[in-house]
């Protein structure tokens, strides 16, 4: 079973993401800010990290940068979520080593497709 | 003169007659034989008194005859002098008449001269009046046009002095900086940061050098209190930079970006919840209710947030990469000495706010504190639709995460900008981060590429136009900008604790009193108002309730009179109050000063009174609104303008001359 970590401070999106990922048969953990995300990732390196950019404390960019600097997380796929939806952010996320980038508001079907691709899940 | 002439004539005549008689007598007597002479002497000795009398009578008769002849020929002179004086001073219609014993040709010549003189005077007065009228009509028209302008525009001389502004500019600046003063003749540096204005002017000069058809420079302009504006610089008077226009607009992009981000987040929550309901109809009732609740909550919140969301980016100027790098390098020069290598990408254009970017880079370099051995490179790397501005430090040093987080969000106040680095990146629609690379530690700022990559960048190295002068128009009294001022106080003894309760000021620009540029404020005080003082100014404690404290009024007045010469009447008195009350709050009103009390003593050394009313009356002014601070300030200004030509007649033309001459007067020794 794939392990997925969701890092987002918006309860209302976490509710949907968590539900969606469980439907896909994943094991889901939730972090409410950047610090928690790092802690939980270290406790159990996830196969996939859904990482919101705008969080209190450490931002998604910070978390991404730190994980990418640590070889233990080489196998972790990182998908960044952002509300700003500007190309400059996508470019920044990619420069820092994110595997994919999803702009809010997104289609959950589109998200599902990308997650399946990244985690090699059967369609 | 005429009395002297008359006396001299009389004496001369008498002496001449006496001498003639004596000589005649001697000649006659000298020719006679000795015997006859003896007889004559004996005869004369017997009748000496009679002979003396006869001689005197003869002399008197001769003098009277001579005098009547003189009077007939020159007696008209005193009368003529008087008539000419009258004609010159007050009765130009008067003419010299031959009947007054003035020789006809002389009278005619003087009258002709008078005709010519007055004709000339009338003509120049007419011409002056006509020219003045034309100028006033043009000015009225111009003011009317400007008053209709909805744009906020300020026209400045090259040294940054305000030549004109539209009401919209005054309104906008009043809103952003209620304490700032936009005034004719003042420099804009009183309102905006000097470095920011200079940056704009350098950019404008650059645009002109490039030969742009309509040279302009747009930038984010910081006010001295930190407020931000979008400003566009355009040249004043043709293509040579004799001065500049500042077109102003309020800044708004930051807030807009924030709002649009909020909306997107809300929409994401709503959409995901709805899609779960759509895609998983078999979910349990409890889960369904939770998703429906999310949908309700988020749609309500979105409806509330929904406003108009205009372009989230600042209106940025397109600039050649090469030019931008050159500008930034210039701004970093003092920090990085010669170690910055500028990496260029030919033909690359970006949209950028160079002043803000320079502030960002400067602050980052200062914050990083890399060793001086570090080598730096600054380059612009083109990407798809962006270009990355990359500052690389050869030493592998980055701000640690915590410092970075603080730095990124904190306004760059040290650089004179009330904007944080992340706000600057946002204003560009860009991003900002630091990362390590093989070449060293990097700060990257993502900028949008310009949509139209127009003409190629200039090939020649860029010469910056240095606009540093703020010297005004020299020291000539007539050309200076003045703030005439006056105070009302609780009493007459500042050293014993009396305090200012009213402060008024008015500006003189170009030798004219500017009735719209006034300072007028009451001042709160805890001190009792002396009844004698109150009888003079009529201000009582009730009127002072709720008025601003002295520290605030003095600070505002200091800003109001910045860049001007102070003008007071018996100003030593007021200055003592400024000094004592300013000390408490650390406010020094330190401007050059002229005192009409001392100037009046210079001009009328004999006058008994140099009180303001007395001087005003002497100069033909009627004191209106006396004994309010502003009223007295206005009267002081009027008195000063009347004194100017009188000072000039005494050879006092410049501020240093006036100050030196004032110091030498006896009244300059007054102390309070």
């Amino acid at each position: 079973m794939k392990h997925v970590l969701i890092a987002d401070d918006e309860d209302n999106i976490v509710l949907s993401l968590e539900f969606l990922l469980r439907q896909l048969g994943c094991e889901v953990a939730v972090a409410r800010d950047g610090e928690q995300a790092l802690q939980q990732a270290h406790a159990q390196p996830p196969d996939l990290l859904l990482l919101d950019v705008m969080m209190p404390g450490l931002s998604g960019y910070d978390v991404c940068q730190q994980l990418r600097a640590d070889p233990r997380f080489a196998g972790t796929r990182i998908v960044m979520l952002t509300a700003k939806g500007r190309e400059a952010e996508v470019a920044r996320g990619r420069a820092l080593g994110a595997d994919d980038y999803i702009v809010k508001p997104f289609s959950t079907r589109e998200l599902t497709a990308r997650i399946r691709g990244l985690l090699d899940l059967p369609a | 003169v005429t009395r002297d002439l008359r006396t001299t004539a009389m004496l001369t005549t008498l002496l001449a007659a006496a001498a003639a008689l004596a000589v005649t007598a001697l000649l006659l007597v000298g020719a006679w034989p000795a015997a006859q002479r003896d007889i004559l002497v004996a005869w004369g000795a017997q009748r000496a008194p009679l002979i003396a009398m006869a001689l005197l009578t003869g002399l008197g008769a001769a003098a009277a005859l001579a005098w009547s002849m003189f009077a007939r020929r020159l007696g008209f002179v005193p009368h003529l002098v008087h008539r000419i004086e009258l004609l010159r001073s007050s009765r130009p219609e008067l003419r010299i008449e031959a009947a007054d014993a003035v020789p006809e040709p002389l009278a005619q010549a003087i009258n002709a001269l008078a005709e010519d003189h007055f004709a000339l005077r009338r003509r120049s007065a007419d011409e002056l009046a006509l020219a003045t009228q034309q100028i006033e009509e043009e000015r009225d028209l111009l003011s009317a046009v400007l008053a209709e302008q909805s744009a906020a525009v300020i026209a400045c001389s090259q040294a940054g002095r305000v030549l004109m502004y539209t009401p919209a500019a005054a309104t906008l600046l009043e809103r952003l900086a209620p304490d700032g003063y936009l005034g004719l003749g003042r420099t804009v540096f009183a309102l905006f940061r000097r470095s920011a204005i200079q940056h704009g002017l350098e950019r404008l000069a650059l645009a002109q050098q490039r030969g742009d058809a309509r040279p302009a420079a747009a930038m984010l302009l910081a006010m001295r209190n930190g407020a931000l504006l979008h400003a566009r610089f355009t040249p004043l008077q043709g293509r040579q930079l004799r001065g500049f226009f500042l077109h102003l607009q309020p800044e708004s992009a930051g807030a807009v970006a924030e709002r649009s981000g909020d909306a997107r987040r809300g929409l994401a929550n709503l959409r995901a919840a709805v899609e779960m309901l759509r895609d998983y109809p078999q979910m349990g009732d409890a889960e369904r209710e939770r998703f429906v609740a999310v949908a309700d909550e988020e749609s309500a919140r979105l409806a509330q947030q929904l406003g108009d969301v205009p372009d989230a980016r600042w209106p940025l100027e397109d600039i050649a990469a090469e030019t931008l790098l050159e500008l930034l390098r210039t701004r970093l020069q003092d920090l990085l000495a010669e170690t910055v290598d500028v990496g260029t990408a030919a033909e690359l254009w970006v949209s950028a706010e160079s002043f803000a970017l320079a502030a960002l880079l400067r602050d980052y370099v200062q914050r990083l504190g890399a060793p001086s051995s570090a080598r730096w490179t600054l380059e612009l790397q083109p990407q798809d639709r962006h270009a990355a501005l990359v500052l690389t430090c050869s030493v592998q040093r980055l701000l640690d995460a915590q410092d970075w987080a603080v730095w990124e969000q904190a306004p760059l106040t040290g650089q004179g900008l009330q904007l944080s680095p992340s706000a600057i990146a946002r204003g560009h629609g860009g991003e900002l981060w630091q990362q390590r690379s093989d070449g060293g530690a990097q700060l990257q700022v993502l900028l949008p590429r310009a949509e139209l990559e127009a003409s190629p960048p200039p090939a020649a190295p860029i010469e910056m136009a240095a606009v540093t002068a703020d010297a005004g128009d020299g020291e000539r009294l007539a050309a200076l900008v003045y703030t005439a001022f006056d105070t009302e106080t609780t009493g007459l003894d500042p050293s014993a604790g009396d305090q200012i309760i009213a402060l008024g000021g008015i500006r003189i620009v170009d030798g004219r009193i500017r009735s719209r540029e006034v300072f007028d404020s009451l001042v709160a005080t805890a001190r009792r108002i002396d009844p004698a003082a109150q009888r003079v100014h009529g201000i009582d404690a009730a009127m002072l309730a709720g008025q601003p404290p002295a520290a605030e009024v003095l600070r505002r007045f200091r800003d109001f009179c910045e860049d001007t010469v102070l003008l007071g009447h018996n100003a030593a008195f007021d200055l003592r109050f400024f000094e004592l009350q300013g000390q408490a709050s650390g406010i020094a009103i330190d401007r050059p000063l002229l005192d009409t009390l001392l100037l009046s003593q210079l001009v009328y050394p004999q006058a008994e009174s140099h009180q303001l009313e007395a001087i005003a009356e002497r100069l033909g002014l009627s004191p209106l609104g006396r004994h309010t601070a502003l009223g007295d300030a206005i009267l002081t200004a009027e008195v000063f303008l009347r004194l100017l030509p009188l000072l000039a007649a005494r050879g006092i033309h410049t501020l240093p001359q006036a100050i030196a001459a004032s110091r030498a007067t006896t009244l300059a020794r007054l102390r309070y």
Side-chain angles (χ1 to χ4, degrees):
Chain A
M1 189 185 273
K2 299 286 184 185
H3 176 58
V4 179
L5 175 59
I6 302 170
D8 199 320
D9 60 322
E10 292 264 340
D11 287 340
N12 284 347
I13 194 76
V14 167
L15 181 71
S16 300
L17 291 175
E18 201 179 347
F19 178 83
L20 182 70
L21 286 156
R22 288 198 205 287
Q23 296 295 323
L24 291 175
C26 298
E27 178 197 19
V28 182
V30 176
R32 300 290 173 185
D33 60 39
E35 303 282 352
Q36 265 188 33
L38 283 176
Q39 274 170 19
Q40 298 206 20
H42 278 95
Q44 188 186 359
D47 299 298
L48 173 68
L49 171 58
L50 287 183
L51 183 57
D52 184 41
V53 170
M54 293 277 287
M55 287 186 293
L58 284 182
S59 76
Y61 292 126
D62 300 325
V63 173
C64 179
Q65 202 161 9
Q66 292 197 27
L67 292 183
R68 279 291 170 253
D70 188 337
R72 278 177 297 169
F73 297 99
T76 297
R77 301 296 189 170
I78 300 179
V79 175
M80 303 204 68
L81 304 174
T82 178
K84 293 187 192 162
R86 294 179 301 120
E87 285 180 49
E89 290 179 62
V90 179
R92 177 176 174 182
R94 291 216 184 270
L96 296 178
D99 295 283
D100 208 343
Y101 205 98
I102 296 209
V103 175
K104 292 179 178 178
F106 48 81
S107 142
T108 49
R109 287 179 184 170
E110 165 78 13
L111 180 67
T112 309
R114 297 218 203 164
I115 291 173
R116 280 191 208 277
L118 283 168
L119 294 180
D120 282 332
L121 296 173
Chain B
V1 175
T2 45
R3 193 176 306 129
D4 286 353
L5 191 66
R6 203 180 304 167
T7 321
T8 316
M10 199 116 100
L11 280 174
T12 316
T13 322
L14 270 170
L15 281 174
L21 269 171
V23 169
T24 317
L26 281 174
L27 283 173
L28 277 170
V29 175
W32 288 349
Q36 282 185 353
R37 252 183 298 181
D38 290 344
I39 293 168
L40 183 70
V41 170
W43 180 84
Q46 280 171 2
R47 294 166 182 78
L50 195 66
I51 293 172
M53 189 103 88
L55 270 173
L56 279 175
T57 313
L59 274 174
L65 184 69
W67 174 245
S68 81
M69 283 172 65
F70 168 80
R72 238 198 347 260
R73 300 288 273 175
L74 288 177
F76 66 89
V77 170
H79 170 74
L80 179 65
V81 168
H82 178 69
R83 303 279 290 186
I84 292 177
E85 295 262 321
L86 263 183
L87 176 139
R88 226 186 101 223
S89 62
S90 55
R91 297 180 55 191
E93 79 289 352
L94 209 65
R95 289 294 173 267
I96 313 296
E97 288 163 29
D100 295 331
V102 180
E104 179 84 37
L106 183 59
Q108 280 174 357
I110 291 174
N111 287 341
L113 193 62
E115 293 291 348
D116 288 355
H117 173 75
F118 287 111
L120 199 63
R121 261 207 209 175
R122 272 194 303 276
R123 204 162 55 230
S124 53
D126 288 351
E127 278 167 9
L128 192 65
L130 188 66
T132 311
Q133 193 195 345
Q134 278 172 351
I135 288 171
E136 303 223 322
E137 275 169 13
E138 279 171 21
R139 206 186 53 211
D140 288 351
L141 184 64
L142 189 64
S143 332
V145 170
L146 290 175
E148 285 299 309
Q149 284 284 318
S150 58
V153 181
I154 305 176
C156 302
S157 74
Q158 204 162 4
R161 283 191 182 271
V162 175
L163 303 175
M164 173 233 96
Y165 55 86
T166 60
T171 313
L172 177 63
L173 294 178
E174 166 76 23
R175 182 162 64 76
L176 291 174
D179 279 358
Y181 286 101
L182 175 66
L184 292 181
R186 313 194 61 195
T187 69
V188 280
F189 304 120
L191 289 162
F192 304 106
R193 293 184 188 273
R194 184 177 293 269
S195 58
I197 294 280
Q198 277 171 10
H199 185 82
L201 291 178
E202 283 165 8
R203 291 248 314 273
L204 181 56
L206 216 62
Q208 291 182 298
Q209 221 170 46
R210 239 180 3 232
D212 289 5
R214 305 190 61 177
M219 69 178 285
L220 208 59
L221 192 57
M223 300 193 67
R224 289 221 305 213
N225 70 355
L228 283 170
L229 286 161
H230 287 296
R232 208 160 54 84
F233 290 74
T234 55
L236 174 63
Q237 280 190 16
R239 302 180 63 88
Q240 250 196 331
L241 196 59
R242 301 238 174 82
F244 58 94
F245 286 109
L246 263 179
H247 312 251
L248 304 171
Q249 267 187 337
E251 196 275 331
S252 59
V256 169
E258 205 54 50
R259 257 197 300 165
S260 109
D262 285 347
R264 283 175 167 279
R265 259 190 298 279
L267 201 54
N269 301 350
L270 173 63
R271 183 171 177 185
V274 169
E275 287 182 2
M276 290 305 102
L277 291 167
R278 178 195 66 194
D279 293 345
Y280 301 94
Q282 75 285 11
M283 69 171 72
D285 284 349
E287 261 161 344
R288 182 183 310 280
E289 265 172 42
R290 282 162 68 195
F291 284 121
V292 169
V294 166
D296 282 347
E297 183 190 329
E298 292 293 349
S299 40
R301 202 168 68 183
L302 270 170
Q304 200 180 10
Q305 278 176 351
L306 210 63
D308 49 344
V309 180
D311 188 9
R313 219 174 73 178
W314 292 338
L316 297 165
E317 193 185 41
D318 291 349
I319 187 167
E322 199 177 329
T323 313
L324 177 63
L325 288 171
E326 184 67 28
L327 281 167
L328 295 174
R329 194 187 61 80
T330 313
R331 295 272 153 187
L332 288 167
Q333 219 160 22
D334 61 318
L335 289 181
L336 304 181
E338 291 164 359
T339 52
V340 172
D341 294 328
V342 178
T344 53
E347 306 289 306
L348 174 65
W349 282 65
V350 293
S351 302
E353 167 48 54
S354 53
F355 185 72
L357 288 175
L360 184 152
L361 293 181
R362 279 185 70 85
D363 209 72
Y364 181 77
V365 168
Q366 283 171 339
R367 185 64 62 98
L368 197 61
S372 57
S373 60
R375 281 190 59 76
W376 298 82
T377 52
L378 184 64
E379 58 195 317
L380 263 169
Q381 299 168 348
Q383 298 177 354
D384 221 12
R385 302 206 14 210
H386 291 90
L389 177 66
V390 184
L391 178 69
T392 310
C393 174
S394 62
V395 177
Q396 286 283 4
R397 179 185 294 192
L398 298 174
L399 292 180
D400 69 41
Q402 210 172 0
D403 283 353
W404 170 266
V406 171
W407 178 75
E408 198 187 21
Q409 297 301 332
L412 298 169
T413 41
Q415 310 295 335
L417 259 189
Q418 208 58 29
L419 268 179
S420 67
S422 70
I424 293 172
R426 211 167 44 224
H428 283 86
E431 277 292 323
L432 169 75
W433 70 93
Q434 49 176 5
Q435 68 179 50
R436 291 184 202 286
S437 74
D438 295 341
Q442 293 183 335
L443 173 72
Q444 296 215 14
V445 189
L446 220 48
L447 306 174
R449 285 178 75 156
E451 296 193 345
L452 282 176
E453 308 206 343
S455 54
I462 294 148
E463 290 288 313
M464 298 291 178
V467 181
T468 51
D470 184 23
D473 303 302
E475 300 272 84
R476 279 194 336 104
L477 285 177
L480 290 170
V481 178
Y482 299 90
T483 303
F485 75 101
D486 189 44
T487 61
E488 301 300 339
T489 60
T490 56
L492 294 176
D493 195 349
S495 305
D498 274 322
Q499 298 201 323
I500 298 175
I501 49 175
L503 178 53
I506 190 159
R507 207 172 273 285
I508 300 178
V509 185
D510 292 337
R512 284 170 50 196
I513 296 173
R514 305 295 174 151
S515 54
R516 282 167 59 190
E517 312 226 338
V518 295
F519 185 97
D520 191 11
S521 181
L522 292 174
V523 187
T525 184
R527 191 177 166 90
R528 199 181 71 92
I529 301 171
D530 182 347
Q534 192 175 329
R535 271 195 298 279
V536 175
H537 53 58
I539 298 173
D540 59 33
M543 294 166 70
L544 299 181
Q547 297 297 335
E552 187 189 322
V553 176
L554 288 179
R555 187 177 47 70
R556 279 175 40 220
F557 183 70
R558 180 191 60 193
D559 293 346
F560 180 77
C561 66
E562 191 174 37
D563 292 324
T564 70
V565 175
L566 282 180
L567 202 58
H569 189 79
N570 193 13
F573 177 76
D574 308 276
L575 287 191
R576 185 74 180 131
F577 281 97
F578 287 167
E579 187 187 333
L580 290 172
Q581 291 194 257
Q583 257 167 17
S585 40
I587 295 161
I589 295 180
D590 187 20
R591 300 297 316 154
L593 171 89
L594 286 178
D595 190 331
T596 45
L597 175 77
L598 309 183
L599 297 178
S600 162
Q601 207 194 11
L602 274 175
V603 172
Y604 301 110
Q606 315 292 340
E608 277 174 26
S609 170
H610 294 286
Q611 291 201 334
L612 194 53
E613 293 95 336
I615 305 173
E617 213 162 293
R618 203 176 299 138
L619 293 167
L621 294 166
S622 54
L624 274 179
R626 276 297 326 269
H627 295 309
T628 64
L630 181 58
D632 281 5
I634 294 172
L635 188 60
T636 304
E638 288 173 338
V639 161
F640 175 72
L641 290 180
R642 295 280 173 112
L643 284 173
L644 269 183
L646 303 175
L647 288 167
R650 279 158 186 78
I652 297 170
H653 302 283
T654 68
L655 184 62
Q657 285 170 346
I659 290 175
S662 297
R663 282 209 184 111
T665 58
T666 52
L667 289 173
R669 290 197 287 271
L670 284 177
R671 289 285 176 273
Y672 293 89

